[in-house]
Amino acid sequence: MRLAIVATPSLHRDQRPAPGSLDGDLIRARLSLDDAGFRVIDVDPARDLAEQLDTMFDELVATRKTLVDADEAARDEASTLLLFYASSAVALSPDGELFLCLDPENPGMGDALSDIAAVFRDRARGEVLFVLECHHAPGAASRDVVAAAEQAVASTATGIELLVAAHPIGSLDADLPSVLTRAFVEHLDEAEPERGLTAGAIAHRVQESADLAGAIPCFVRARGRGSFYVLVPRDGVPGGGSAEEPAGPRLDVAGEGDIATTPAPAPDDPAAQYLAAGDTLAAAWDLEGALTAYKKALVLVGAARDARAEVYLRIAHARWRQEKHREAIEGFEKALALAPEHRPALEALAELHLAERDFDALRTAEERLLSRVEGDADRFGLLVQFAERWEIIAGDADRARELLERARELRADDAAVLRSLGRLYEEAGDLDASLDARRRLIELVEDPRQRAASLLELARTAIQGEARATLTEVTREQTGIELLERALDADPTLLDPLALIAVLLSARQEWGELELAYRRMLDRAQRIIDPRARSDVTWELCRRLGLLFRDHLEDPGSALDAFEGAVAERPDDVAGRLSAASLARSAGRFERAAAHLQAAAVLEPGNVQVFHDLFDTFQKLRRTDQAWSAAGVAVYLGAAEARERFLFEEHRPAGLVQPERGLSPSAWDLLRAADRDRALEEVLASVADAAIRARLAQRAREKKLPRLDPAARADAERNAAGVVRLFAWASRCLGLTTPAVYLRKDAPIAVAAVPVEEPSVLVGGEALRGRTAAELAFLVGSHVAYHVGPHRLLLHFPSLEELGICLAAAVRLARPSEPVPAELEGAVLGLMPLLDEQLTEAERDALEAAVFELYEIRAPLDLAHWAGSVERCAARVGYLLTGELAIAASSLSRADAPGVLTAEEKIGDLLSFSVSDAYHALRDELGVAIQP
């Protein structure tokens, strides 16, 4: 059982913290965690503390008596560890007695620390640790307070281990826990679970800390019996004890109802009677009387070795309790001379030599104990325990390292041992051994990413460790590279190790080795499960390979292949596209160069150098029409070179484009944006005719159908207005039926579709005034594009919300279980019956097939992107009919109807479209392409 009794003051009535009141919350929370395992008991600061402790011990005794097994009850009592923690204001009486003032409402009242210690002395049978944070009046000296605490606890007599700090009230931040308490908790948090943490180790760390030395005016540790484990090692206390029974001599103090530690002596056995009497006197702390009885027993036992050894052990324990260490050592030595295998005597001897700081004797005692331990587990625990005290207490890192190496021979993969060895080797400058220990420790880590990160850090240590090692630079770097390779094996998505390998090999100009490293990494990348992460890693590797082949290995063919591998993973990689294009041009592979430059034009339509390079590439490919288009972009951007301007002006059309033939229906696929959502478009195309009929029926029921004046309808063959003839001309060029055109010179619009059954257009005064023929051609062509296939839906469902209602109604008819957004539900349910009524069987089948395909893809639906792709298509149609970027750009900039895309976005699309293979194919189909 592990009990922590916490005594701290309550807050003042006005909720101000009293000295030490904040410490209680921190210490309670930490000691109750699983690794410490204490059951925390709070005391009432307003009641007598000694009485509360007596009551607590009475309850513990009563609890033990309920145990059926008497042996179990005895073990439970003997193994109880008690930690008493107090942080409060303190007072010194005139005769130097220390009082804990726990009740802030009665600052003149206090509990004598000596009375508290006496309760533990008389009632406790297990080990006891006092941790005291004393807040004293500014007029008192901290060293006097600590000395009074030492005197009150009287560790030499009570066996209580003591950690005590003192500081004046007001010297600390009242809103923070006290310094020793914070340090105590921090050391618990930083401790290695495998090794645990003793009170002695905490004291050593406090005493060795320069920061704490300046913050705590006075701190002292008084030793108790054995090592009090505040944190029990994960595998139990070293030396064979359990987590509840620390190794080493234990303080046994008699309480109420205790019986002698020896069996009742036989009436005719005077030696046994003296032993029993001595045990009784020792339990009552009459140590001199006990020693007298033991010496009489020694005379009477005669030459029996075991009996004499038992008496010498009792004498040695009594001397130890008197703090007469040399005499206690002599007693244990005598006992061991008679019983060399006696484990408690061997352990006690080591503890005494440690207390005397006789390290040569301590080493001998430890080796004697280790030589008599049979099990590897027991020996391993002792080796770890001994190493800790040699490092922390004795400050002998060499001895600690030697013991840990022996422990490693027993458990090669013990994490705590490997961690300590790695640190000790590094401190000793043995980088090889440190790397070996730390590498083995990392191999035990199960999480691949954590293991890779640790290997990366270890590699950095290896590479930077020349100042502490005798390795040559090449060997040191090679060790680092091997560790980095293992890091990449553990987690191929972590590219930092690869970057470091590249730095090392580049510095040594080992380009062939670097290529092999990249290719190994490409093989590893195939193991990456996440497709996006795999693609990112592959892109980075191909990019690095491309740079390596281009800049160092002077292999442009392989560099081109590598850069093309990179852009295959990341098509929007502009730098990769341009690098691939440059290499392809240098190698005379102009077809490949053109493809990369065309892709770069889409990504950076404002980069005029791309169009310069395209002009040159198209010229070498004898693609005069596309070279002319590239020159046109350079002219539009105001950066045309002389050759470009000459070719552009030479073939610039005089007036409108004069097609030899119209476009075929399949040509419209070349006009549409390549990145449009084709699955979504299929759904819209399948439902377009029925949706338009349903919309017209809905408008008719609502009496919202527009009425057109037949007299305003223009005849393209007879009407003199150029805009009317342009509609007929544009429709023939595009392979479409000419819409009905209605002229309204008084209408303040340019061109608008009329939502009626026959495709109709209303042309207003804005189109008839102030526009050139080319500008009108662009206006007409871009409008006619909306009368094609699913584009027509935007004429009848012009807003994204209306288009969304149409799509949701169509999907719901094909998938009745599909949910509808709450804000659209009313409109969707209103349209569905009309749409259902208008669908033919063929249209229904097409709709269901398209919806099934759409949901198989499981891509998010983006109506805005699709509507934007229609806007780009319309702008492309207008540009195709005019052949003038300047006309198209000015027309887009003056458009009065806002769309999904800005004018700048549409113009940028036209710049890249003008140098695309699709644009050339369209011009070729119209018969207007420039022939070489």
Side-chain angles (χ1 to χ4, degrees):
M1 183 184 301
R2 294 166 64 81
L3 297 178
I5 300 98
V6 178
T8 54
S10 57
L11 298 176
H12 288 286
R13 288 180 179 175
D14 59 2
Q15 299 303 304
R16 288 183 297 108
S21 60
L22 298 180
D23 298 339
D25 292 338
L26 181 62
I27 207 73
R28 289 183 195 95
R30 185 62 187 85
L31 292 179
S32 62
L33 295 180
D34 291 343
D35 58 347
F38 282 94
R39 172 189 160 200
V40 178
I41 299 175
D42 288 314
V43 298
D44 185 346
R47 294 175 50 206
D48 183 90
L49 184 52
E51 289 183 1
Q52 293 183 69
L53 292 172
D54 263 327
T55 302
M56 180 198 74
F57 279 109
D58 288 341
E59 292 173 353
L60 290 176
V61 171
T63 300
R64 291 191 184 105
K65 288 180 179 179
T66 63
L67 297 174
V68 176
D69 190 323
D71 291 337
E72 183 180 352
R75 285 194 300 272
D76 179 69
E77 183 177 13
S79 64
T80 298
L81 272 74
L82 299 167
L83 189 157
F84 174 72
Y85 172 87
S87 178
S88 71
V90 298
L92 282 174
S93 69
D95 57 357
E97 186 171 8
L98 186 67
F99 290 83
L100 305 182
C101 303
L102 293 169
D103 188 356
E105 301 306 321
N106 295 286
M109 303 289 292
D111 296 278
L113 183 59
S114 58
D115 291 345
I116 298 168
V119 175
F120 282 94
R121 178 197 67 201
D122 295 339
R123 303 297 302 275
R125 292 190 60 82
E127 292 184 5
V128 181
L129 169 65
F130 274 28
V131 180
L132 305 178
E133 188 100 49
C134 299
H135 308 256
H136 61 78
S142 296
R143 61 178 177 275
D144 294 338
V145 172
V146 168
E150 287 187 276
Q151 183 178 355
V153 174
S155 296
T156 56
T158 61
I160 298 172
E161 186 164 358
L162 172 67
L163 304 181
V164 56
H167 36 73
I169 294 174
S171 64
L172 302 176
D173 189 336
D175 295 326
L176 292 175
S178 304
V179 178
L180 176 61
T181 300
R182 294 204 308 271
F184 187 88
V185 171
E186 287 170 4
H187 291 325
L188 292 182
D189 292 339
E190 295 169 358
E192 297 175 355
E194 295 84 357
R195 298 177 65 175
L197 187 66
T198 64
I202 294 175
H204 179 76
R205 295 179 187 182
V206 171
Q207 291 165 339
E208 293 298 316
S209 170
D211 293 337
L212 293 176
I216 303 177
C218 190
F219 170 79
V220 164
R221 176 204 176 198
R223 297 176 183 275
R225 301 289 187 234
S227 298
F228 190 102
Y229 275 88
V230 185
L231 287 186
V232 178
R234 183 171 290 167
D235 296 329
V237 174
S242 68
E244 298 292 350
E245 188 177 3
R250 183 181 67 247
L251 173 64
D252 284 329
V253 183
E256 293 181 12
D258 281 339
I259 60 174
T261 59
T262 57
D268 57 350
D269 187 352
Q273 291 177 351
Y274 278 122
L275 282 177
D279 290 343
T280 302
L281 292 169
W285 281 91
D286 184 355
L287 299 177
E288 286 298 333
L291 284 169
T292 300
Y294 292 149
K295 290 175 182 178
K296 291 178 180 179
L298 185 63
V299 173
L300 295 173
V301 295
R305 295 176 65 88
D306 290 344
R308 292 184 69 80
E310 187 65 31
V311 177
Y312 279 128
L313 285 172
R314 281 172 163 75
I315 292 172
H317 276 292
R319 293 298 189 192
W320 192 359
R321 292 171 69 182
Q322 289 179 324
E323 292 291 317
K324 296 179 179 180
H325 291 173
R326 301 313 306 173
E327 295 179 27
I329 290 171
E330 182 181 347
F332 283 120
E333 289 285 8
K334 289 178 179 180
L336 287 169
L338 297 169
E341 306 295 328
H342 197 280
R343 171 75 174 268
L346 290 167
E347 292 174 345
L349 201 58
E351 290 287 342
L352 284 164
H353 287 312
L354 179 63
E356 289 292 294
R357 303 188 73 79
D358 186 347
F359 296 120
D360 289 337
L362 173 61
R363 181 191 297 262
T364 302
E366 288 176 345
E367 294 301 332
R368 288 173 67 181
L369 176 56
L370 289 168
S371 68
R372 286 165 173 77
V373 173
E374 295 182 357
D376 284 349
D378 199 2
R379 181 176 290 103
F380 174 84
L382 288 172
L383 287 167
V384 172
Q385 177 191 359
F386 295 166
E388 180 180 7
R389 66 189 181 192
W390 277 97
E391 180 186 359
I392 295 176
I393 301 174
D396 189 338
D398 291 339
R399 170 66 173 169
R401 191 168 60 251
E402 176 215 334
L403 291 165
L404 289 172
E405 286 170 345
R406 290 160 65 181
R408 187 181 181 185
E409 291 175 0
L410 299 174
R411 293 187 189 173
D413 294 338
D414 184 85
V417 170
L418 290 169
R419 190 178 298 111
S420 297
L421 277 174
R423 174 174 47 79
L424 290 170
Y425 284 137
E426 184 176 10
E427 291 172 358
D430 190 347
L431 187 61
D432 273 339
S434 176
L435 291 175
D436 176 70
R438 292 174 62 185
R439 177 167 47 217
R440 183 61 193 141
L441 178 64
I442 292 169
E443 288 172 354
L444 302 177
V445 176
E446 294 183 0
D447 180 69
R449 190 161 189 83
Q450 183 181 347
R451 185 164 66 252
S454 299
L455 284 166
L456 172 60
E457 290 305 312
L458 185 58
R460 287 175 173 154
T461 301
I463 294 164
Q464 299 167 2
E466 186 181 17
R468 299 189 302 275
T470 59
L471 298 170
T472 65
E473 182 177 355
V474 172
T475 304
R476 173 166 48 86
E477 289 184 353
Q478 192 57 41
T479 300
I481 290 172
E482 290 172 2
L483 291 168
L484 293 169
E485 290 277 3
R486 295 172 70 174
L488 293 171
D489 284 335
D491 184 2
T493 65
L494 185 66
L495 292 181
D496 288 350
L498 184 68
L500 191 49
I501 288 174
V503 170
L504 294 172
L505 294 179
S506 297
R508 288 152 54 173
Q509 296 189 8
E510 294 183 3
W511 310 120
E513 286 297 320
L514 184 54
E515 178 195 352
L516 292 176
Y518 287 155
R519 295 208 180 277
R520 285 193 296 271
M521 191 60 199
L522 277 172
D523 291 338
R524 293 187 187 102
Q526 304 312 306
R527 306 198 317 260
I528 301 174
I529 298 174
D530 180 11
R532 183 166 184 175
R534 183 170 60 248
S535 178
D536 288 344
V537 171
T538 303
W539 169 80
E540 176 66 19
L541 291 168
C542 290
R543 186 186 69 83
R544 288 176 176 272
L545 271 172
L547 294 172
L548 177 63
F549 283 123
R550 185 190 68 185
D551 300 339
H552 300 292
L553 294 177
E554 298 181 359
D555 184 349
S558 296
L560 176 57
D561 291 341
F563 279 118
E564 288 184 335
V567 298
E569 297 296 334
R570 192 175 290 182
D572 60 351
D573 177 12
V574 177
R577 292 284 186 186
L578 295 177
S579 296
S582 176
L583 288 164
R585 291 175 66 206
S586 299
R589 301 177 182 179
F590 298 111
E591 292 284 356
R592 291 165 74 174
H596 292 300
L597 288 168
Q598 286 169 317
V602 173
L603 298 169
E604 286 189 353
N607 186 345
V608 70
Q609 186 59 47
V610 171
F611 297 98
H612 288 325
D613 292 342
L614 274 169
F615 174 81
D616 182 68
T617 301
F618 287 142
Q619 285 282 65
K620 287 183 169 61
L621 287 170
R622 300 183 60 78
R623 298 187 193 173
T624 308
D625 189 60
Q626 288 180 282
W628 176 79
S629 296
V633 177
V635 170
Y636 170 75
L637 293 174
E641 297 175 351
R643 293 186 308 138
E644 295 166 337
R645 185 172 295 280
F646 176 80
L647 183 66
F648 176 74
E649 295 296 343
E650 181 183 12
H651 296 284
R652 188 174 189 175
L656 298 178
V657 172
Q658 299 299 321
E660 296 179 3
R661 50 193 172 271
L663 294 179
S664 64
S666 62
W668 278 91
D669 198 50
L670 298 173
L671 283 163
R672 295 189 176 102
D675 64 346
R676 70 190 185 279
D677 188 336
R678 295 172 188 266
L680 174 60
E681 188 169 81
E682 280 298 315
V683 174
L684 295 173
S686 68
V687 79
D689 290 338
I692 292 171
R693 292 195 298 270
R695 184 66 156 174
L696 293 173
Q698 189 179 45
R699 287 180 176 275
R701 291 182 183 182
E702 296 171 354
K703 298 183 178 180
K704 292 182 178 180
L705 279 178
R707 294 183 179 180
L708 294 171
D709 182 2
R713 182 164 180 165
D715 187 335
E717 299 297 329
R718 300 177 184 176
N719 198 292
V723 67
V724 178
R725 293 196 301 273
L726 282 173
F727 269 102
W729 167 78
S731 299
R732 285 195 302 272
C733 292
L734 299 172
L736 303 176
T737 301
T738 305
V741 179
Y742 291 84
L743 294 177
R744 283 280 305 275
K745 295 182 180 181
D746 58 334
I749 59 171
V751 175
V754 183
V756 293
E757 184 174 355
E758 180 186 15
S760 303
V761 180
L762 181 63
V763 178
E766 291 294 321
L768 301 175
R769 293 186 296 270
R771 295 181 189 266
T772 66
E775 289 172 333
L776 278 175
F778 181 88
L779 179 66
V780 169
S782 58
H783 177 81
V784 169
Y786 283 90
H787 291 266
V788 177
H791 299 184
R792 294 173 296 145
L793 286 170
L794 288 170
L795 302 177
H796 295 270
F797 301 89
S799 70
L800 287 178
E801 181 178 343
E802 291 173 292
L803 188 62
I805 292 169
C806 174
L807 176 63
V811 170
R812 189 70 177 271
L813 286 175
R815 290 170 63 100
S817 61
E818 192 65 28
V820 175
E823 64 274 15
L824 301 181
E825 188 171 9
V828 170
L829 294 178
L831 180 61
M832 280 179 62
L834 294 172
L835 183 58
D836 188 38
E837 180 182 332
Q838 294 295 329
L839 279 169
T840 66
E841 287 303 315
E843 289 170 339
R844 191 181 304 276
D845 291 342
L847 172 62
E848 291 176 353
V851 169
F852 176 81
E853 185 66 26
L854 178 68
Y855 280 84
E856 277 292 298
I857 296 173
R858 296 184 180 276
L861 302 182
D862 190 346
L863 274 176
H865 183 268
W866 182 82
S869 73
V870 175
E871 292 179 8
R872 285 189 283 164
C873 178
R876 291 175 179 187
V877 170
Y879 171 59
L880 177 66
L881 295 180
T882 60
E884 282 273 4
L885 279 172
I887 296 297
S890 64
S891 299
L892 289 170
S893 298
R894 68 183 289 189
D896 53 359
V900 174
L901 301 180
T902 64
E904 290 75 14
E905 288 173 317
K906 297 174 189 176
I907 293 169
D909 178 71
L910 289 182
L911 297 182
S912 60
F913 176 68
S914 69
V915 294
S916 68
D917 291 341
Y919 180 60
H920 171 66
L922 289 164
R923 283 173 55 84
D924 195 50
E925 184 164 339
L926 288 173
V928 298
I930 302 168
Q931 300 303 315

